[in-house]
Amino acid sequence: MNPHFIRPPRLVPGSRVAALSLSSGFVTEVMGRYHAGVRQVADTLGWEVVPAPNALRGPEYLAENPQARADDLHWALRNPNIHGMVSIIGGDDSVRLLPFLDPGLIHTHPKAFLGYSDTTIPLTQFLRAGVRAYYGPSLLTDLAENGGMHPFALEGLRRALVEEPRPFDLAPAPEWTEFRQEWGDESLQEVRRPFQPGDGWVWLQGEAPAEGHLMGGCLEVLDMLNGTPGWPAPDLWRGAVLALETSEDVPPPAQVGYWLRNYAAQGILAGAAGLMLARPRGYTPEMVEDLSRWVRRVLAEAGRADLPVVANVDFGHTSPQLTLPLGGVARLDPLAGRVTVTP
């Protein structure tokens, strides 16, 4: 049987959502972008975004005070006037929060928490506490998208966090981009970034449908978490559909293969129900082909040539991105080319 995860209350128009800086305090250098995200969230979703007490205290303070970052999460969980939380941006050191986080508080006050990249670590702690979490846009990225939130990202958020929970099919984005706009130039905020036509999903292997609870996140960040007290127990991995992505660090395909071999050695791949791979940011077509070879190779080594695997999915370090309900159920049907999610 799959583990049980509490579904937090939906975030509806009028919800107050705390903006958290759990990793980098970079936001104070691009406050125009922050205000654009706050405004666009209010205009499109009707949420009121409010900063947590330490969220805007700057990169130096937050780097020196990981407990203050954890305190912000606890404040948001305890505060009855806060209905959910969103990460402002990622970073590279949320692993430093582990000694200060209170999993009992997460379980006692389950609230929707949205983010990606380095937010993988606190999101995973929600799963360890038995609470669903949401792998999706942060405030400075797709929520503050130049020229307004992309309809694809907005629909994904509504299905996962706003509408009455019911199964829905994921779909490839009609267009996507990795173009880096200068966030510090506020004159560019309303200039839409260039997008290229969507290139669809790629099913790497598998024939039989399979389903399981969603787990995963950014592979580089999961590597930081691996072996710490915050790493999920084997029972939590068993039966999961793994949703894995890579960041702008552009790890070589072989490195992804090495990480997957670690998951094989832990028994994670043996017990997995399926695998969803995100569009790898910054990869050339040759690197994408090499990545596919590595994935198939490691799964064959692990005796999982049967595992359904869909690649090039729009989540993580791509725009526009989906919102994946970690702890929710995903059903992969390779022959039908369908991915169905129950938030």
Side-chain angles (χ1 to χ4, degrees), residues 157-236:
L157 283 164
R158 285 178 169 152
R159 285 177 161 182
L161 286 167
V162 178
E163 297 174 358
E164 288 285 351
R166 59 180 181 272
F168 61 89
D169 283 353
L170 301 183
E175 58 181 2
W176 65 279
T177 188
E178 294 180 350
F179 183 83
R180 298 179 69 91
Q181 193 74 287
E182 176 52 61
W183 289 355
D185 186 346
E186 295 185 28
S187 69
L188 298 175
Q189 179 58 42
E190 299 307 319
V191 178
R192 191 175 189 269
R193 293 189 290 167
F195 285 74
Q196 55 187 304
D199 42 3
W201 300 340
V202 178
W203 290 86
L204 297 185
Q205 64 173 53
E207 295 183 358
E211 69 176 38
H213 58 289
L214 279 166
M215 288 188 63
C218 181
L219 275 163
E220 293 98 308
V221 179
L222 287 167
D223 186 54
M224 297 183 210
L225 185 63
N226 199 345
T228 72
W231 187 249
D235 285 351
L236 204 58

Side-chain angles (χ1 to χ4, degrees), residues 29-336:
E29 300 176 18
V30 288
M31 287 302 294
R33 181 78 173 187
Y34 171 83
H35 291 303
V38 171
R39 181 180 66 253
Q40 292 183 178
V41 167
D43 291 345
T44 56
L45 293 161
W47 305 342
E48 179 189 358
V49 176
V50 295
N54 297 299
L56 304 181
R57 296 190 67 173
E60 183 175 347
Y61 177 84
L62 292 179
E64 294 174 355
N65 294 278
Q67 182 163 0
R69 292 181 260 156
D71 288 346
D72 276 358
L73 176 60
H74 297 160
W75 167 84
L77 291 168
R78 291 192 183 99
N79 190 331
N81 296 316
I82 296 296
H83 307 108
M85 299 149 290
V86 61
S87 276
I88 295 176
I89 195 64
D92 60 13
D93 79 339
S94 63
V95 71
R96 297 174 62 211
L97 303 186
L98 290 177
F100 308 107
L101 292 178
D102 183 349
L105 200 60
I106 296 171
H107 184 83
T108 305
H109 301 282
K111 296 181 182 181
F113 179 34
L114 175 69
Y116 75 108
S117 192
D118 201 45
T119 309
T120 294
I121 288 175
L123 291 172
T124 303
Q125 305 320 297
F126 272 61
L127 297 180
R128 293 183 64 242
V131 178
R132 299 187 186 195
Y134 299 87
Y135 203 81
S138 66
L139 190 62
L140 294 186
T141 58
D142 278 21
L143 299 185
E145 177 61 54
N146 298 78
M149 286 181 61
H150 195 285
F152 181 84
L154 182 57
E155 180 185 30
L157 283 164
R158 285 178 169 152
R159 285 177 161 182
L161 286 167
V162 178
E163 297 174 358
E164 288 285 351
R166 59 180 181 272
F168 61 89
D169 283 353
L170 301 183
E175 58 181 2
W176 65 279
T177 188
E178 294 180 350
F179 183 83
R180 298 179 69 91
Q181 193 74 287
E182 176 52 61
W183 289 355
D185 186 346
E186 295 185 28
S187 69
L188 298 175
Q189 179 58 42
E190 299 307 319
V191 178
R192 191 175 189 269
R193 293 189 290 167
F195 285 74
Q196 55 187 304
D199 42 3
W201 300 340
V202 178
W203 290 86
L204 297 185
Q205 64 173 53
E207 295 183 358
E211 69 176 38
H213 58 289
L214 279 166
M215 288 188 63
C218 181
L219 275 163
E220 293 98 308
V221 179
L222 287 167
D223 186 54
M224 297 183 210
L225 185 63
N226 199 345
T228 72
W231 187 249
D235 285 351
L236 204 58
W237 291 108
R238 192 169 298 118
V241 171
L242 307 177
L244 303 175
E245 60 118 356
T246 53
S247 77
E248 70 276 13
D249 289 344
V250 194
Q255 180 62 63
V256 175
Y258 303 155
W259 285 325
L260 290 177
R261 278 181 173 156
N262 179 283
Y263 291 10
Q266 293 188 59
I268 293 172
L269 297 185
L275 176 59
M276 295 169 55
L277 297 170
R279 176 184 292 107
R281 184 179 182 91
Y283 271 38
T284 64
E286 293 75 20
M287 292 174 73
V288 172
E289 291 181 10
D290 196 19
L291 176 64
S292 297
R293 285 191 292 269
W294 266 104
V295 170
R296 292 191 188 100
R297 175 180 177 179
V298 174
L299 290 175
E301 293 169 354
R304 293 308 313 270
D306 63 312
L307 190 75
V309 181
V310 58
N312 210 45
V313 183
D314 303 276
F315 67 94
H317 289 76
T318 184
S319 291
Q321 63 170 295
L322 294 161
T323 298
L324 300 180
L326 302 180
V329 175
R331 175 179 171 83
L332 276 55
D333 189 338
L335 296 185

